[in-house]
Amino acid sequence: PKDPNAMYTIVIRAEVSNADGKKIGAAYGSASSLIWSSKQGRYIARANDVDKSFNSTLKIALKRAIVAACRQTTPSGELFTEDINEGGYTQTDAE
């Protein structure tokens, strides 16, 4: 889009295949071109330049799709959590 204030959402589907090429899973990731600015109290473009905003939105959607596909098709979901303590991990937590 040429309009820096245009709102759009990019949705990407990532597929995961095993070593034999057989598809074992897939997931979607998405990102919006506008982000909430609590400082300004409104939605603003991801970047000042239209091309940079589009590229950032595309990369974020791709990253989210890849992470979601990996977490759903591998046992890595057991190793990581999205809700962590503000205080961080201790040695006891790691064990």
Side-chain angles (χ1 to χ4, degrees), residues 18-89:
N18 65 11
D20 298 328
K22 180 182 176 188
K23 187 173 86 171
I24 58 173
Y28 290 92
S30 66
S32 173
S33 61
L34 300 179
I35 58 174
W36 179 256
S37 170
S38 57
K39 184 186 270 187
Q40 296 181 14
R42 64 184 179 93
Y43 285 96
I44 60 171
R46 277 194 187 278
N48 295 334
D49 183 81
V50 176
D51 293 330
K52 288 180 182 176
S53 184
F54 179 79
N55 191 38
S56 295
T57 305
L58 182 65
K59 286 181 178 182
I60 291 168
L62 178 60
K63 177 181 148 188
R64 289 176 178 171
I66 291 170
V67 169
C70 289
R71 289 190 69 184
Q72 290 178 11
T73 57
T74 66
S76 64
E78 297 173 4
L79 302 174
F80 301 102
T81 182
E82 293 177 15
D83 303 320
I84 61 171
N85 239 331
E86 289 294 323
Y89 290 110

